[in-house]
Amino acid sequence: MTTSLRILFSVIGIISLAVCVTTPILSFVGKISFDGYLLWFNIATLVWFITAPFWMIRKKSKST
Amino acid sequence: MANKRFSARAIAERFDKMYEFDRERVTEDKFLSGGKFAAFFAGEHVAATEFVIGPMFVLHGISAIDLFLGLLIGNLLAVLSWTFICAPIAVRVRLTLYWYLRKICGPGLTAIYNIANAFLYCILAGAMISVSATAIGLAFKVPCPALTDVLPNSVGWVVITLCVGAVVTLFAILGFEKVSQFSSVCVPWLFTVFIGGAIVLLPRLGNISRLADFWHIAQTKIWTGIPEPGQDKFTIWHIIFFAWFCNLAMHVDLSDMATLRYAKKWTYGLYSAFGMYPGHYLAWICSGIMVAAVARKMDPGLMAYTAAGLAGAVAVVTAGWTTANPTMYRAGLALQVVTPNWARWKVTLVAGTVTTILSCFPVFFLRLLDFVAIYGLILMPIGAVVLVEHWIFPRIGLRQYWAEKSGQLVNVPAAATWVLTLGLCWLLLRVHVIPHLFFLWLPGYFIALILYMVLASLFGARAPVEYRPGFAEEKA
């Protein structure tokens, strides 16, 4: 995987994690409904699991 | 032939072979940065157990102030234990506990220690399978066992735990590297499930518009100070001691020497705070809030599903799975050495089968707090033996590593310390000198320290050792 793709996935992953953190707060303060929170939290979860392995799991470099 | 294969010496040799790859002292070029330690500790301490421990405190009737203060103090004591007990020894010897124990206790006793650890691992993995099963049970409308259940409550529960156990065993047979990588991906997200779940469920307990409202709800709806029927009443002392000893195997019992031997200096033990305070403070508080919001029903699956829908149920399943999997893999690996040359897959299959059967019995996850206490207690005397031999022996004129130097397979004073300490601990609890299992390890630790000093000085550590290169001697 190229470095730019890795950076892209990491940015998307971090945004999805940010959504997981902010949507409960928005639901708590009444800006979005509980169902809205559930929808966004679950979508963000899906995005996290699709993108995170590409940049969090690094292949072992060959030993010299 | 068979006797030779099963002799303590043969078993010890197989253990040596298994740990051969980390036999060498860590060299300076392999030291790791503080950030790596922060990440390691943060990743290790947000797991499936957090879905059980936080709610258990609620059900044991802890009050809000006792919980917040108790966790603050208990986790601080745990961090200090990593910093002042485990890390200083790790950076001085730069070996894993296995190899250091082998120098002190002899290869025979080290093998016994590893096997005991493997059995305890199996029970822990069984409890994690049960936690995962509570989430899968939701999909099939299988009720979670009641808080006081010991035996399975339905055929459905047995079927689900057997299925989850079979999957976990299968992945443990295939190896745990991939699962370990998957686990590292889960951790940051899992943390958001705890935090988010608690935040979003708080309004169900009452209207909160300022901090004082939260505190009022915490005192009256969550940590009310009233235990559920059949549960002991916990005080601040229970919380302090639990938070301190729940990772006893890692700090006081020195398992984390394996990691901290890569530290540049002993103060890196302080990085354990990155695991303790998010995992054993925030996550326990959050899961406590969640259980209060589901009418105090001890059902991790239901709790997480209510808080985060499908993602919550997935969180419980993956957290249980990723905790159980490496645990079972390690148990299989350790037990492999006592089999007649069985392949690792076969041993893991047997360990997995036993673990899966155990997981059908809800008592193991519903009494997780007691099991964690027993786990730490059983291994604690050996941690005390290492501490005495490392720090105290040179100061009181006793000979360090005398068992190794005299070629002993089993350091008998250490073995006697282990057995006698546990016997005395049992007696102290039985005659109610110590009022609760949670408080037992600390007096037990001091008993073990003194016992080993006395026994070792009487039976070999005082006399000048005649150099006898024996089995325990390290290969050049």
Side-chain angles (χ1 to χ4, degrees), chain B residues 339-359:
Chain B
T339 62
N341 285 331
W342 285 11
R344 190 189 56 77
W345 73 265
K346 204 187 276 184
V347 186
T348 311
L349 181 64
V350 172
T353 307
V354 173
T355 303
T356 304
I357 292 168
L358 290 177
S359 71

Side-chain angles (χ1 to χ4, degrees), chain B residues 65-301:
Chain B
I65 186 74
D66 285 352
L67 180 91
F68 281 75
L69 263 180
L71 287 182
L72 199 68
I73 298 166
N75 283 315
L76 177 67
L77 290 169
V79 170
L80 295 178
S81 299
W82 260 296
T83 311
F84 291 106
I85 296 176
C86 187
I89 298 178
V91 297
R92 274 167 65 107
V93 300
R94 303 275 177 202
L95 291 171
T96 60
L97 177 63
Y98 177 83
W99 288 108
Y100 200 45
L101 212 53
R102 195 179 173 285
K103 284 166 82 73
I104 292 170
C105 294
L109 190 57
T110 306
I112 295 167
Y113 179 89
N114 268 27
I115 292 162
N117 210 353
F119 278 114
L120 294 167
Y121 273 151
C122 283
I123 298 175
L124 187 64
M128 292 308 99
I129 289 169
S130 306
V131 171
S132 285
T134 62
I136 293 173
L138 282 176
F140 299 98
K141 298 197 177 357
V142 173
C144 180
L147 200 54
T148 49
D149 280 352
V150 174
L151 301 173
N153 62 340
S154 66
V155 176
W157 172 260
V158 174
V159 172
I160 288 172
T161 48
L162 290 180
C163 291
V164 177
V167 173
V168 171
T169 306
L170 179 69
F171 277 91
I173 286 170
L174 295 173
F176 88 113
E177 198 186 343
K178 292 283 175 205
V179 179
S180 157
Q181 288 174 337
F182 179 69
S183 170
S184 69
V185 170
C186 287
V187 168
W189 166 77
L190 201 55
F191 194 61
T192 69
V193 175
F194 280 108
I195 302 285
I199 291 173
V200 88
L201 291 184
L202 261 178
R204 293 191 182 192
L205 296 166
N207 193 24
I208 298 175
S209 53
R210 55 207 170 98
L211 196 62
D213 295 337
F214 167 74
W215 192 243
H216 177 69
I217 287 172
Q219 288 174 307
T220 56
K221 302 274 178 65
I222 307 168
W223 301 283
T224 58
I226 303 162
E228 292 295 300
Q231 302 298 309
D232 309 336
K233 166 89 176 88
F234 277 9
T235 63
I236 190 170
W237 292 106
H238 290 85
I239 301 298
I240 291 173
F241 270 80
F242 187 87
W244 190 7
F245 75 61
C246 77
N247 285 120
L248 204 70
M250 275 100 196
H251 47 69
V252 169
D253 298 343
L254 305 167
S255 282
D256 269 351
M257 276 178 72
T259 313
L260 283 164
R261 69 196 172 119
Y262 291 96
K264 285 176 189 154
K265 46 193 174 178
W266 63 271
T267 48
Y268 278 28
L270 290 169
Y271 283 105
S272 57
F274 284 91
M276 290 300 96
Y277 287 98
H280 293 184
Y281 195 86
L282 273 178
W284 287 355
I285 287 170
C286 290
S287 58
I289 294 170
M290 285 192 255
V291 81
V294 294
R296 310 169 90 78
K297 186 166 166 32
M298 183 60 210
D299 183 343

